[in-house]
């Protein structure tokens, strides 16, 4: 498959996942993002949506829950509102995977396998070393709550991250809370079914293919 074909396939698959989300009726959907809106958002936040993510948001923009919030449920909207959302809130969500991981580092976590070298004894020095290392990992773009897709090629793909090499980046959906990371779907369609459909609770969640894994973040997921 050529690069252009991979992009078209990603966009098509993202749009298909959005249609399934609409069928399930679990969120309020606004008009999809236009090319001009994508250009503005990517320039404003220094990111690039992967083809599947772009196709998903172009087919319909999830803007909130479909049902009223239940008692005790967080008042925060789990969907990032890329069209009308508070820019500071969106920036906070973009930075959350790294900031929460740094919080874990501050409280004793360190990347296994020696890839960050020996952990500094001082927590502040450990956080500084981890922050420097994390500047080279792929950017994660919020999808829903603490589910993320990796950025596509371009500004959101940091040099040396491995993301700049292929247009297929962003396919697996990752659930990231601090150092607790799992694959929540091999692609958007599988994620929609697992998140909002009626999956078999006893079904084993398949891992993404080797070529679809997100550098660093998929390693955390195992």
């Amino acid at each position: 498959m050529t690069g252009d074909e991979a992009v078209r396939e990603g966009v098509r698959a993202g749009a298909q996942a959005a249609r399934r989300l609409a069928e399930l009726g679990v969120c309020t959907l606004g008009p999809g993002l236009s090319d001009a809106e994508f250009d503005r958002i990517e320039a404003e936040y220094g990111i690039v949506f992967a083809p599947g993510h772009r196709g998903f948001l172009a087919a319909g923009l999830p803007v909130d829950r479909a049902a009223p919030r239940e008692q005790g449920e967080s008042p925060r909207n789990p969907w990032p509102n890329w069209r009308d959302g508070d820019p500071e809130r969106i920036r906070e969500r973009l930075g959350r995977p790294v900031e929460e991981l740094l919080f874990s580092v501050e409280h004793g976590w360190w990347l296994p396998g020696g890839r960050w070298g020996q952990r500094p004894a001082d927590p502040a020095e450990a956080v500084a070393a981890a922050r420097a290392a994390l500047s080279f990992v792929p950017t994660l773009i919020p999808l829903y709550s603490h589910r993320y897709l990796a950025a596509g090629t371009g500004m959101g793909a940091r040099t040396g991250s491995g993301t700049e090499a292929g247009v297929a980046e962003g396919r697996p959906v990752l659930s990231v809370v601090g150092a607790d990371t799992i694959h929540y779907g091999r692609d958007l369609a599988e994620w929609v079914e697992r998140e909002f459909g009626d999956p078999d609770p006893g079904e084993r969640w398949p891992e993404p293919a080797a070529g679809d894994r997100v550098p660093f973040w998929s390693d955390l997921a195992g």
Side-chain angles (χ1 to χ4, degrees), residues 22-36:
E23 290 173 359
L24 290 168
V26 294
C27 66
T28 301
L29 284 168
L33 295 177
S34 67
D35 287 343

Side-chain angles (χ1 to χ4, degrees), residues 33-107:
L33 295 177
S34 67
D35 287 343
E37 287 178 310
F38 276 114
D39 289 345
R40 176 188 62 80
I41 292 163
E42 290 180 335
E44 181 173 356
Y45 298 108
I47 58 175
V48 174
F49 291 100
H53 202 170
R54 189 180 181 101
F56 182 78
L57 297 174
L61 181 66
V63 293
D64 206 345
R65 300 171 174 87
R69 290 165 176 76
E70 298 179 0
Q71 185 175 3
E73 192 174 13
S74 171
R76 287 190 170 186
N77 182 2
W79 298 100
N81 188 340
W82 295 105
R83 176 176 287 122
D84 300 317
D86 179 358
E88 288 306 309
R89 172 71 175 139
I90 291 176
R91 289 190 179 92
E92 185 270 330
R93 294 188 69 166
L94 282 164
R96 188 184 299 170
V98 166
E99 292 304 318
E100 288 188 348
L101 193 55
L102 292 173
F103 180 82
S104 297
V105 169
E106 185 179 7
H107 290 81

Side-chain angles (χ1 to χ4, degrees), residues 46-49 135-141 150-166 169:
I47 58 175
V48 174
F49 291 100
S135 67
F136 294 100
V137 306
T139 297
L140 296 184
I141 300 180
T153 57
M155 292 183 297
R158 299 187 180 99
T159 302
S161 69
T163 313
E164 67 272 16
E169 296 295 346

Side-chain angles (χ1 to χ4, degrees), residues 68-214:
R69 290 165 176 76
E70 298 179 0
Q71 185 175 3
E73 192 174 13
S74 171
R76 287 190 170 186
N77 182 2
W79 298 100
N81 188 340
W82 295 105
R83 176 176 287 122
D84 300 317
D86 179 358
E88 288 306 309
R89 172 71 175 139
I90 291 176
R91 289 190 179 92
E92 185 270 330
R93 294 188 69 166
L94 282 164
R96 188 184 299 170
V98 166
E99 292 304 318
E100 288 188 348
L101 193 55
L102 292 173
F103 180 82
S104 297
V105 169
E106 185 179 7
H107 290 81
W109 184 84
W110 195 245
L111 185 66
R115 283 176 292 167
W116 283 355
Q118 185 174 355
R119 176 188 170 90
D122 181 81
E125 292 182 7
V127 168
R131 187 181 294 278
L134 290 169
S135 67
F136 294 100
V137 306
T139 297
L140 296 184
I141 300 180
L143 173 65
Y144 168 85
S145 187
H146 49 271
R147 315 291 191 237
Y148 298 87
L149 285 166
T153 57
M155 292 183 297
R158 299 187 180 99
T159 302
S161 69
T163 313
E164 67 272 16
V167 295
E169 296 295 346
R171 285 188 61 194
V173 175
L174 291 156
S175 177
V176 181
V177 181
D180 184 9
T181 301
I182 62 174
H183 292 114
Y184 222 80
R186 289 171 296 179
D187 53 30
L188 278 163
E190 187 171 88
W191 167 72
V192 167
E193 294 299 334
R194 292 191 181 282
E195 189 80 63
F196 303 108
D198 188 24
D200 181 353
E203 182 182 359
R204 183 178 179 274
W205 291 24
E207 293 295 308
D212 290 335
R213 290 172 63 86
V214 181

